[in-house]
Amino acid sequence: TGEVGSRHDLVLRDEAGTGWSTLARRGAGDYSLRLNDNLSDPSKQVGYASTDGAAVNTQDSFTVSAWAYLTDASANHVVLSAPGEYGSAFTLYYSSAYKKWVFNRTDRDENDPVYIRSLAEEESPPLRVWTHLTGVFDTQGDADKSNDTIQLFINGRPQGAPIVLADAAPTYEPWTADRNLMIGRSKVAGAYGEYFLGRIDEIAVWQDSRTPEQIREEDRLDKDGVPANELVAHWDATISQGSQVIESPEDPDDPASTTFPYRRGPLTLSGSGAALTGEDETALVLNGSSGYASATGPVVDETGSFTVSARVRLNKTLLAAKPVGYRGLVAAQATPVGKESSWALWVEKPAENVYRWKFGRTAVDSNGKVTDTAIDMGQEPVGDKEWDTWVDVTGVFDSGLPFSGGDGSERFGAAQLFIGQFAQQGGDDLGLDTVQQGGGSLSAGRGSGGGATGHYLPGDLAKVRIWVGAMTRDQVTSQIAQPTT
């Protein structure tokens, strides 16, 4: 809790609803706190954890943060709170009424307080994904309560402007919560409730107001000097048969496991044009005109950093027959509306006998109209050594990577393409000004926004993998790229 000061161990309360999970934000070998989603009876979903004594003075500036993996949106679910006699001085939670992540303070420690909220900009966040939440209370370094503010950050991004507490509630007092810091529940009108369902990890508390730069650094989650990542989806055609590309059974913490820990479910093959076959090893073989495989996404919070990779083998004969301008989608996640992809890896034919790998992101409005794109592409066209052989194509979206926005301001969030272990710098529009979250179909071998316009991949797929976290070049080399690709 903080860079300097006391450390506070957590005590798990209620054995049935609490435990440790290998679904953890730092990847293999790490553990997170599992809360209540192993229990089907709501009356028994009362597991939580707490410190032994107050971990932060809520009267002075402070910052709290945690990674949350929420599995239910039907009720309020609290990540962190600081209770007093009647209520909670602050609560970091998911609100089922607003359908948003929220950071709030109460004006006083009373049974019926005024709730002052800093709300997420977007509603209906995806479930079963890792999201970084940060709440900041700032006294501005003085004793004047009239300028105290709160602000929510999601995946390192500020959610609206800071909320001036006294403006929202003239009765506001910066009161001190004197009870244990709660993980997974809150206190309302003297009673505890709003228990969390899912996983919570990497809880941190500071007795100061973190700057936006410091919050982005915390969101990066360095591990030995590099950002940590966690494999959250892994479909492997080389071990599949029939009509589905199954998930890899490999659990890094349990080599004998038979089920992928995140249990995303298989990719189901289309009715025609796709088959699990191959001369050298099993692969998802696609005819380039109707074949694909798909599942329901998303599998990551795309407003934050993530990495996607596919092991693909292009069919040169089938691609050569395609018209100039053709795109063959390797893997893609649909946007919630329209026929676009929130993210996609693809091969494009800009001219006769010229082909380029690309990774891109697309933002759309409520009508499905494209409002922003970020695209990186191969510096050189697909070379002779990349035909009829396996190539690892990787896209990285780094939500903390700075770029210059259209108005000249500094923005954050940019795309990066890797071919094998080699970073590409072929794009001139890498930054995504508008945050976009995908929803619906996640496809391999076709655009996820719908197949009416084609975009089928002429070639074979061996693996599709997705990680939360932005990989560096060294991580791509060590975790993805085979020496021969």
Side-chain angles (χ1 to χ4, degrees), residues 101-119:
W101 292 110
V102 181
F103 179 57
N104 76 15
R105 281 212 63 151
T106 52
D107 67 330
R108 297 171 184 269
D109 188 14
E110 298 176 342
N111 274 327
D112 188 22
V114 177
Y115 292 95
I116 311 161
R117 302 176 178 91
S118 177
L119 300 171

Side-chain angles (χ1 to χ4, degrees), residues 249-259:
E250 299 172 1
D251 182 341
D253 299 320
D254 182 8
S257 65
T258 59
T259 305

Side-chain angles (χ1 to χ4, degrees), residues 123-411:
E123 65 177 32
S124 300
L127 298 178
R128 300 178 66 220
V129 301
W130 283 110
T131 298
H132 187 228
L133 305 170
T134 304
V136 178
F137 170 63
D138 190 356
T139 66
Q140 315 301 324
D142 58 38
D144 181 6
K145 67 180 182 181
S146 69
N147 60 10
D148 292 357
T149 64
I150 57 170
Q151 189 172 26
L152 174 68
F153 289 73
I154 298 179
N155 295 318
R157 297 175 182 268
Q159 303 298 294
I163 305 298
V164 180
L165 294 155
D167 289 351
T171 53
Y172 157 73
E173 293 287 343
W175 64 276
T176 301
D178 58 359
R179 310 299 166 92
N180 301 344
L181 178 72
M182 294 288 164
I183 294 83
R185 76 170 184 174
S186 68
K187 195 173 192 180
V188 178
Y192 288 104
E194 300 181 319
Y195 293 92
F196 193 82
L197 269 67
R199 310 292 189 278
I200 298 175
D201 204 2
E202 300 297 327
I203 301 158
V205 180
W206 296 265
Q207 194 65 69
D208 62 29
S209 54
R210 299 273 94 179
T211 66
E213 182 180 8
Q214 289 171 321
I215 292 170
R216 287 192 299 271
E217 185 66 24
E218 183 70 11
D219 174 72
R220 176 182 161 92
L221 198 63
D222 272 4
K223 180 180 181 180
D224 298 327
V226 295
N229 59 73
E230 162 76 333
L231 182 65
V232 294
H234 184 181
W235 292 283
D236 191 344
T238 68
I239 57 173
S240 301
Q241 58 184 347
S243 62
Q244 295 180 327
V245 180
I246 66 172
E247 296 175 289
S248 169
E250 299 172 1
D251 182 341
D253 299 320
D254 182 8
S257 65
T258 59
T259 305
F260 185 71
Y262 281 89
R263 301 185 183 186
R264 301 297 182 185
L267 294 171
T268 301
L269 273 60
S270 56
S272 64
L276 288 163
T277 183
E279 295 179 0
D280 51 352
E281 62 178 341
T282 303
L284 175 59
V285 179
L286 303 167
N287 67 355
S289 58
S290 62
Y292 66 97
S294 64
T296 300
V299 299
V300 289
D301 187 334
E302 295 161 21
T303 69
S305 297
F306 63 93
T307 301
V308 299
S309 186
R311 188 160 293 163
V312 58
R313 181 169 56 189
L314 296 176
N315 186 314
K316 188 174 184 180
T317 300
L318 292 178
L319 262 177
K322 298 296 184 182
V324 171
Y326 188 82
R327 295 181 176 185
L329 273 289
V330 177
Q333 169 64 58
T335 55
V337 292
K339 293 185 176 181
E340 300 295 333
S341 298
S342 176
W343 61 259
L345 288 165
W346 72 93
V347 61
E348 189 166 325
K349 185 177 181 179
E352 285 295 340
N353 301 316
V354 179
Y355 309 90
R356 287 187 184 271
W357 294 111
K358 291 190 175 184
F359 169 65
R361 301 231 34 210
T362 304
V364 299
D365 62 18
S366 59
N367 297 316
K369 180 181 178 180
V370 175
T371 58
D372 192 18
T373 59
I375 298 174
D376 194 13
M377 66 180 179
Q379 291 174 257
E380 302 293 337
V382 176
D384 292 339
K385 294 182 179 180
E386 296 173 70
W387 292 109
D388 301 314
T389 190
W390 292 111
V391 178
D392 286 312
V393 184
T394 302
V396 175
F397 181 73
D398 188 340
S399 66
L401 194 64
F403 68 95
S404 179
D407 57 1
S409 62
E410 186 178 49
R411 304 289 181 86

